[in-house]
Amino acid sequence: MFATKVTRSKPNPLFEDPLFRRFFGDKLRQPTYRRENSLGSGVIVDENGYILTNNHVIRGASEVQVVLRDGRHFPARIVGTDPETDLAVLQAAGSHLPVAALGRSDQLRVGDVVMAIGNPFGVGQTVTLGIVSATGRDQLGIAAIENFIQTDAAINPGNSGGALINARGEVVGINTAIFSESGGSHGIGFAIPVRIARTVLEQITKHGRVIRGWIGVNGQEVTPALAESFHFRYRKGLLISGVLEGGPADRAGIQPGDLLVSIDGQPVVSAAQALDLIAGHAPGEQLTLGIERDGRLLEVETTVAERPPQKG
């Protein structure tokens, strides 16, 4: 897949000097335009030509061309993007497109065999083999919402947006990034679980954007040291550090210092999981939050709102 964007370069400020203008006129003061091409991969997931890829592959693109393994190529339009997960949905104009089967990323276990498919360095479709090294990776600074599959299957530049498949040939992830100081593959690659990608696809094709639930709190995962400093017994949960005034949590009576231990009866095990649980509810739905306050367990009801657009 090739994405093209047109960039505009400003003229050198020196050309504003009257001396330069006297000898060269105004030609050197005009902005210049150039076309830049970026390379990536994608996964056709629907007979209507919908394609999942990474947002960073097509960001700023004015034109996208999809090239299939059999040599066919089609223009594609950008249906929508979700910078928070670094996903984008395109739609190719061709017919009789090969559609990938989507699997269950929540069934992946460490040690499962996976293969990364993509177009590294533009050499053509390539498959690399590895295993699942970890699941639920977050706090990597790759995207705002992180819950990555880690794999040692080689993922190189150009693989972004391609499929991570299981031994049954089902797509379980969308290849996104590598951990590398040199730009080459060091056996640490990350893919977005297809469970998240499927939700983004459904939201974008239905609404043109992704709608996420939100209750207006900030927090951090509990550590033994943190529990000791706040004088409560150590248990997994999300320690509420901030509550937006007038937001859903504030109206429900949530306070900074509360420990969020469950959401609709499901235990909170990490900050990323808590965010995922809340985001998965539609605005207007009711949530039952289990909190620990001053050694007491409480249940509070709150109404989910739509998450505001995130900066950056």
Side-chain angles (χ1 to χ4, degrees):
M1 184 166 60
F2 298 89
T4 303
K5 63 180 179 180
V6 179
T7 59
R8 179 178 183 271
S9 300
K10 294 182 178 180
N12 192 307
L14 286 176
F15 296 143
E16 296 292 334
D17 189 291
L19 181 63
F20 278 92
R21 294 176 60 185
R22 177 182 175 186
F23 286 98
F24 299 104
D26 290 333
K27 289 185 178 180
L28 296 180
R29 298 174 61 225
Q30 301 300 317
T32 58
Y33 298 87
R34 64 176 181 175
R35 295 167 64 90
E36 294 182 355
N37 294 316
S38 62
L39 175 69
S41 303
V43 183
I44 302 172
V45 294
D46 185 271
E47 292 180 351
N48 293 317
Y50 288 118
I51 298 171
L52 278 168
T53 187
N54 285 136
N55 179 56
H56 74 259
V57 170
I58 54 87
R59 184 188 297 121
S62 56
E63 179 183 343
V64 179
Q65 285 284 330
V66 174
V67 182
L68 303 185
R69 184 182 180 184
D70 59 14
R72 290 184 293 162
H73 56 89
F74 310 101
R77 69 182 183 94
I78 300 174
V79 180
T81 63
D82 183 37
E84 291 194 66
T85 56
D86 192 24
L87 286 168
V89 177
L90 313 178
Q91 187 174 29
S95 58
H96 305 293
L97 300 173
V99 178
L102 302 184
R104 294 281 302 274
S105 55
D106 55 343
Q107 294 181 346
L108 284 176
R109 299 292 182 266
V110 173
D112 284 353
V113 174
V114 288
M115 290 165 277
I117 302 177
N119 184 18
F121 304 106
V123 299
Q125 187 179 78
T126 301
V127 180
T128 54
L129 177 68
I131 63 168
V132 173
S133 305
T135 59
R137 288 292 197 212
D138 58 5
Q139 299 182 10
L140 301 172
I142 297 173
I145 297 176
E146 298 183 334
N147 186 6
F148 291 110
I149 303 164
Q150 182 181 326
T151 177
D152 66 348
I155 298 175
N156 289 290
N159 274 112
S160 291
L164 185 73
I165 66 173
N166 60 21
R168 294 184 293 274
E170 300 166 334
V171 179
V172 291
I174 302 297
N175 302 325
T176 297
I178 57 173
F179 182 84
S180 174
E181 295 180 352
S182 64
S185 175
H186 287 181
I188 304 179
F190 301 100
I192 300 166
V194 74
R195 176 184 62 83
I196 294 176
R198 195 197 303 264
T199 299
V200 169
L201 172 69
E202 292 172 352
Q203 291 266 341
I204 287 178
T205 53
K206 184 177 180 180
H207 304 292
R209 60 192 176 93
V210 177
I211 299 173
R212 293 188 172 90
W214 172 83
I215 61 172
V217 296
N218 291 322
Q220 61 188 107
E221 293 177 30
V222 178
T223 64
L226 197 60
E228 183 179 356
S229 67
F230 277 82
H231 306 293
F232 54 73
R233 68 184 180 88
Y234 171 65
R235 64 184 299 176
K236 287 185 178 296
L238 182 71
L239 180 63
I240 304 298
S241 58
V243 179
L244 179 68
E245 185 176 355
D250 182 43
R251 294 193 298 270
I254 302 294
Q255 303 171 8
D258 286 346
L259 181 64
L260 179 62
V261 296
S262 68
I263 299 172
D264 274 350
Q266 187 166 343
V268 172
V269 297
S270 69
Q273 178 244 10
L275 174 64
D276 196 31
L277 286 174
I278 295 169
H281 287 76
E285 291 184 356
Q286 292 292 117
L287 276 184
T288 301
L289 306 178
I291 63 170
E292 182 177 316
R293 179 187 298 165
D294 299 328
R296 296 179 297 126
L297 288 176
L298 307 172
E299 282 193 351
V300 297
E301 299 284 334
T302 186
T303 302
V304 177
E306 182 177 347
R307 186 180 186 187
Q310 302 297 293
K311 296 180 180 179

